[in-house]
Amino acid sequence: MPHEAINFAKITAEAAARHAENGWPKQRDEAWRFTDLNAIREMTLAPAEVPSVTTESAPPQDAKDLIQFINGIPQGIDKVALKGVEIAPLSTDSARSSALAEAVPSGHSVADFALAHAKDGVVIAVADVGADAVAPPLTLRFDYRGDGISSHAVIVVDVAAGANLTILEEHKGDGVGLSAPLMLLRLGAGAELHHARRLIEGDSRHHLGLNLVQLDTGALYHGDMVLAGGDIARSETQIAMTAPDAKAYLNAVYLGRDGQMRDITSRIDHDAPDGQSFQRVHGILDGRAKAVFQGKVKVARYAQKTDGNQMSRTLLLSREAEANTKPELEIYADDVACSHGATIGEIDADQLFYLKSRGISTEDARQFLIEAFLVDVVDALDEPARGWLLEAIAAWLERG
Amino acid sequence: MPLLEIKNLHASVGDKPILQGINLTIKAGEIHAIMGPNGSGKSTLAYVLAGREGYEVTEGDICLDGESVLEMEADARARAGLFLAFQYPVELPGVGGMSFLRAAVNAKRLAQGADEVDHIAFVKIVREAAARLGIKDDMLKRAVNVGFSGGEKKRYEILQMALLEPSMAILDETDSGLDVDALRIVSEGVNALKNDAMGVLVITHYQRLLDYIIPDHVHILADGRVVKSGDKALALEVEKTGYGGFTDAA
Ligand SMILES: Nc1ncnc2c1ncn2[C@@H]1O[C@H](COP(=O)(O)OP(=O)(O)OP(=O)(O)O)[C@@H](O)[C@H]1O
Ligand SMILES: [Mg+2]
């Protein structure tokens, strides 16, 4: 039975009602055990309003490969001109609105909050334009401004069968506020999405992002992220492999200092045979920073020949920093290769001494060892976006 | 002025006193050898000289070129000309060999007011020095000491020494783990570097190394003290009679 098309306003109103009833997640919710949202709960937030178009808020005229979001609200989406890429408001697309409403996990308060105050969403639809016409990356630039504002960007990315897209997504800006972007990423058979993200918001902002990924037969999702900004910053990714042969990479580097909180949460549902998922998460924590990586991999009974790997490593630069890892493997198929590993450590004193004994200063020696710690995840980053992501890591390290 | 002067050196690791009053003077151009039973404090002495954290000098002094180095951290001592070839070289996964070697050489050059070494010229210098020590090109491309055999690690230590041209080199059991040919190659490497301005302190268990690197003085270390000093004949005596007589005397 085809689903009845529902309108966007109804979806947001229902989400608002759910959020009003349920409030923010509490630490007794298993998925939020390590992440204390009190600071957010106590904030007085007003949803972002459509900014008056000033020269400051207007994206560059010639940017044909850029969507700028001011406090989550897209600007000048009609200017984008990438071959095979169509951008449209979500509110006029009832089929995709319904798809989004269906995809949102029930009882997910953050998703409800994101939807609750979204003025509209954006649809990014990508058609297959043939192998030799690979489009340049589409940049999604999220700019946050002002104090006491919550930002609610809602985006549906639809990559058609056989199509290919690279997204460079950046979140930055200052002030006191909360960003809650919600993305549904749907990949058709054989489609590819290369999704690189730099989360580099200011120290007084909070970020709670949710990405929902749906993979059809043979589709490939490559998600690379540097989470280096914000006070409380959580990035959650849920991947549903409902058709055979899908493949997902999730690479993340998280960096925290002072009293910051970093939360990388993922859930991968292998619901069809021959799926592959590779997760690599490396974090560096200084000061009193805290982090959690919770990765759930669920392999259904009929998802035979699944290959699921998860590796997390944390480097603590201070004795007061704290890292938690919570791998969860739920495997109901018998012919699978799933593995996970986690390490948490400090700068190795023997290695530091070895470098120093060669005349290398403490600072340079630490730098060597920090970069060495990141080598494996940096190698795993998608080639075209690697340099762009490394800039964010370098900027964080330089702040020392 | 002596190059290295160790005066009544007492040192502890944690709360455990290990060095119990060592006196040793090395002049420029001299080679000294230290022998001694396992656990007698040889590596501890090497680490204390190099400035390893956690090795606390409780009494006495160490002077390099007449200046106390006790307040200097390991990196400053290295830039001042001290070099330690480790008994157990440390693996540095993810740290590329070439960038490591270049950083070490540049740190020293900058301290001396020289310019950083030219990239391309440096690669050539390293390749040539490596070839003389029988180090394969492929090893230079790998992460520092990762996947090196025991003998390869020791050669790599001497390569670093060759590039850093220290004024005072301490070789902690560089001979252990080396096959006969490697022992000769490494010894020749050390001898080639040796000059009248340089001092060498060789820590070894075997008199065999001293056939190649011929010491001016040999010291026996037992229980954290120098219990006997002599010339090369002392090494031969140890080889024949063991340490029994010396430790009893201590
Ligand atoms: N970190 C440490 N904590 C406690 N004791 C230590 C530590 N390092 C060394 N020691 C002790 O100090 C003593 C001297 O050790 P050292 O390594 O200097 O001996 P060595 O003469 O080099 O021996 P070898 O011939 O086996 O290399 C030993 O008894 C050793 O157990
Ligand atoms: Mg030793």
Side-chain angles (χ1 to χ4, degrees):
Chain A
M1 191 183 78
H3 296 282
E4 200 183 319
I6 46 173
N7 77 34
F8 190 73
K10 184 159 173 268
I11 294 172
T12 62
E14 285 173 359
R18 287 195 301 269
H19 185 75
E21 192 184 327
N22 299 328
W24 292 107
K26 311 207 174 39
Q27 281 180 278
R28 62 171 182 269
D29 301 341
E30 189 53 33
W32 294 86
R33 211 172 103 202
F34 295 97
T35 304
D36 177 359
L37 296 183
N38 264 335
I40 292 174
R41 200 172 285 119
E42 285 161 11
M43 288 175 99
T44 310
L45 292 168
E49 294 297 332
V50 178
S52 55
V53 179
T54 60
T55 44
E56 195 199 4
S57 65
Q61 285 299 312
D62 55 348
K64 294 183 165 58
D65 54 359
L66 166 76
I67 307 177
Q68 189 175 23
F69 295 78
I70 309 265
N71 290 337
I73 296 172
Q75 309 295 306
I77 60 173
D78 48 337
K79 304 233 167 50
V80 175
L82 281 182
K83 196 172 176 197
V85 178
E86 287 205 31
I87 317 280
L90 180 60
S91 58
T92 55
D93 189 331
S94 59
R96 288 189 174 104
S97 292
S98 307
L100 176 66
E102 254 178 66
V104 166
S106 72
H108 200 296
S109 260
V110 168
D112 287 341
F113 178 76
L115 275 173
H117 304 290
K119 297 276 182 296
D120 197 349
V122 178
V123 174
I124 300 170
V126 188
D128 181 4
V129 289
D132 40 83
V134 174
L138 172 66
T139 298
L140 305 181
R141 187 186 296 155
F142 292 79
D143 241 314
Y144 300 104
R145 300 165 183 181
D147 290 327
I149 297 170
S150 60
S151 300
H152 307 256
V154 173
I155 299 168
V156 176
V157 178
D158 239 321
V159 188
N164 187 325
L165 180 69
T166 297
I167 291 178
L168 303 181
E169 178 185 331
E170 177 171 76
H171 295 259
K172 65 177 183 195
D174 292 310
V176 181
L178 169 64
S179 343
L182 171 64
M183 275 190 159
L184 171 63
L185 308 149
R186 300 200 298 178
L187 277 66
E192 279 187 28
L193 178 60
H194 300 261
H195 189 190
R197 294 186 294 148
R198 304 205 296 207
L199 277 53
I200 49 175
E201 290 167 56
D203 294 341
S204 305
R205 296 194 54 82
H206 304 300
H207 181 108
L208 300 174
L210 174 61
N211 286 337
L212 304 167
V213 183
Q214 298 176 348
L215 301 180
D216 204 338
T217 308
L220 166 72
Y221 176 75
H222 197 132
D224 292 325
M225 169 177 66
V226 173
L227 200 177
D231 179 20
I232 300 170
R234 166 163 163 138
S235 170
E236 178 174 349
T237 304
Q238 299 195 4
I239 299 181
M241 298 188 179
T242 48
D245 237 1
K247 196 168 179 176
Y249 292 91
L250 284 181
N251 297 308
V253 174
Y254 66 80
L255 308 166
R257 55 165 61 96
D258 303 325
Q260 293 167 344
M261 177 69 209
R262 300 288 175 254
D263 177 334
I264 311 280
T265 295
S266 67
R267 178 190 171 120
I268 300 175
D269 281 281
H270 285 274
D271 275 328
D274 299 312
Q276 292 176 288
S277 63
F278 304 96
Q279 293 186 77
R280 187 170 269 286
V281 177
H282 287 212
I284 301 178
L285 298 176
D286 204 349
R288 290 171 295 109
K290 282 194 183 139
V292 61
F293 166 56
Q294 37 188 5
K296 181 167 179 169
V297 176
K298 190 173 169 192
V299 182
R301 192 164 45 84
Y302 33 84
Q304 298 294 4
K305 307 274 183 206
T306 287
D307 195 349
N309 292 284
Q310 202 180 78
M311 184 65 203
S312 108
R313 296 186 61 192
T314 316
L315 178 64
L316 303 178
L317 298 181
S318 122
R319 287 281 157 91
E320 283 116 344
E322 181 188 312
N324 299 283
T325 47
K326 204 178 85 181
E328 264 182 280
L329 300 182
E330 241 182 76
I331 301 172
Y332 301 100
D334 47 26
D335 186 13
V336 300
C338 286
S339 64
H340 74 84
T343 66
I344 299 175
E346 305 171 2
I347 294 256
D348 185 277
D350 290 341
Q351 295 181 338
L352 191 68
F353 172 60
Y354 190 72
L355 286 158
K356 288 180 73 177
S357 77
R358 272 38 178 157
I360 298 169
S361 69
T362 307
E363 196 184 318
D364 289 352
R366 282 171 67 91
Q367 189 75 20
F368 260 117
L369 296 176
I370 289 170
E371 281 172 19
F373 167 80
L374 292 173
V375 158
D376 289 341
V377 71
V378 167
D379 283 350
L381 297 176
D382 228 1
E383 188 75 52
R386 187 181 294 159
W388 185 77
L389 291 165
L390 290 180
E391 283 170 21
I393 297 174
W396 188 88
L397 292 174
E398 249 163 54
R399 261 185 69 181
Chain B
M1 191 206 309
L3 182 59
L4 181 72
E5 208 176 357
I6 302 170
K7 293 184 260 190
N8 188 32
L9 185 67
H10 289 69
S12 302
V13 184
D15 284 336
K16 191 178 170 192
I18 296 173
L19 304 184
Q20 324 248 22
I22 292 184
N23 290 292
L24 199 65
T25 299
I26 300 178
K27 297 204 198 82
E30 284 182 350
I31 296 178
H32 288 237
I34 288 186
M35 304 182 81
N38 294 130
S40 57
K42 304 181 299 295
S43 293
T44 302
L45 174 63
Y47 286 145
V48 171
L49 293 174
R52 183 173 193 153
E53 269 177 53
Y55 288 67
E56 202 201 340
V57 173
T58 50
E59 211 183 318
D61 204 354
I62 302 165
C63 293
L64 186 67
D65 291 319
E67 303 237 359
S68 174
V69 298
L70 290 188
E71 296 302 315
M72 291 161 76
E73 288 191 30
D75 53 321
R77 295 187 196 189
R79 292 192 297 270
L82 205 78
F83 180 85
L84 169 62
F86 282 54
Q87 181 176 3
Y88 304 108
V90 180
E91 297 189 4
L92 305 177
V95 177
M98 271 299 175
S99 53
F100 162 71
L101 295 174
R102 196 165 50 236
V105 167
N106 280 335
K108 180 150 192 200
R109 289 176 68 107
L110 289 177
Q112 292 170 338
D115 285 342
E116 292 203 354
V117 60
D118 174 74
H119 234 76
I120 296 161
F122 184 69
V123 173
K124 196 162 168 269
I125 293 168
V126 173
R127 284 228 179 102
E128 285 169 5
R132 281 194 292 276
L133 290 164
I135 293 171
K136 289 175 240 110
D137 257 12
D138 139 75
M139 253 173 74
L140 298 173
K141 291 184 193 123
R142 276 189 262 163
V144 176
N145 288 323
V146 177
F148 293 12
S149 75
E152 287 171 340
K153 284 180 181 165
K154 296 302 178 75
R155 293 182 202 217
Y156 199 67
E157 294 292 289
I158 301 306
L159 171 65
Q160 295 169 51
M161 175 177 156
L163 295 170
L164 289 169
E165 301 176 334
S167 56
M168 180 66 225
I170 302 154
L171 310 180
D172 189 359
E173 294 197 30
T174 300
D175 53 337
S176 61
L178 290 181
D179 62 44
V180 274
D181 296 328
L183 181 65
R184 185 178 45 76
I185 292 167
V186 164
S187 304
E188 282 168 1
V190 173
N191 287 332
L193 289 168
K194 175 79 185 21
N195 59 50
D196 290 347
M198 186 182 173
V200 180
L201 180 61
V202 188
I203 296 169
T204 185
H205 285 294
Y206 307 106
Q207 104 86 23
R208 196 182 56 179
L209 174 70
L210 305 179
D211 285 340
Y212 292 102
I213 302 175
I214 297 159
D216 303 296
H217 301 275
V218 175
H219 312 276
I220 308 296
L221 195 70
D223 298 325
R225 283 186 198 89
V226 174
V227 291
K228 183 151 191 185
S229 295
D231 59 13
K232 191 170 177 278
L234 185 57
L236 291 166
E237 189 186 332
V238 165
E239 192 106 315
K240 278 202 211 82
T241 62
Y243 292 113
F246 304 112
T247 41
D248 289 347

